[in-house]
Each structure stands twice: as C-alpha cells, then as structure tokens.
Amino acid sequence: MAYFYASRNSLYSTANTVIPYDSIVTNVGGGMNLNGIFTAPTAGTYLFISTGISLKGDCKVYLQWNDDHRGSSSYAGPAYATYAQQAVWNLKAGD
C-alpha cells in the first residue's frame, strides 16, 4: 500500500512547470517528493486527487503520467475559484 498527502500553502504562478509542494504530511511507501513528482513504489492501481484555488482567475492544471498529460482541470472566470480533479491509473513500479 502507498499513499501520500502533500500540500502547497504559498502562491505558485510559473506556467508549464511541475508544481512543487511546501510540505509532505504523509508519505506511506515513499513515492512522493517535494518536487511534485510521484514515483510508484510498487505496481498497482493508484488514485490521484488534486484540488486548488485560482487567485487570479484563469487556471489550467494537468495531471501528468511520465511525459503524457492524462488529466486536466481548466477554469476561466473570476478570481478565487476552486478546482478539483482526479484520476485512477494502473502504474508499474517506477512509473
């Protein structure tokens, strides 16, 4: 079994980059890093959930598997809008 809870509590506005975390609260299996990249410690089915808030309005956040965008959340509108996305992927160890 592997699971993690990581958070970012400060602003991040650099486009087209991996969003790094400020802290990792739980990291069973050791797959998550502060750099925002998860590496599956064992083969299995994984659920990823991402939530956030767009302070300036328009926002697009991708969930990416290796070099492939496999999920995204987009928002266009006023500031302070929230987003949520989830994905279930079958990963090999090391993905």
Side-chain angles (χ1 to χ4, degrees):
M1 175 184 292
Y3 59 93
F4 70 90
Y5 171 70
S7 67
R8 179 169 190 88
N9 296 315
S10 58
L11 296 176
Y12 190 78
S13 60
T14 306
N16 302 312
T17 62
V18 174
I19 300 172
Y21 293 106
D22 293 329
S23 67
I24 297 176
V25 179
T26 303
N27 195 13
V28 175
M32 179 48 75
N33 293 298
L34 284 173
N35 64 9
I37 296 174
F38 175 81
T39 303
T42 60
T45 302
Y46 290 83
L47 168 65
F48 296 91
I49 300 171
S50 171
T51 62
I53 185 167
S54 175
L55 298 179
K56 294 184 178 180
D58 297 354
C59 174
K60 183 170 238 180
V61 178
Y62 293 99
L63 291 176
Q64 188 167 313
W65 179 351
N66 297 326
D67 293 325
D68 186 19
H69 290 193
R70 293 283 179 107
S72 68
S73 182
S74 298
Y75 175 77
Y80 300 103
T82 59
Y83 75 87
Q85 59 185 337
Q86 65 184 26
V88 177
W89 295 332
N90 291 313
L91 303 180
K92 296 180 271 186
D95 272 348

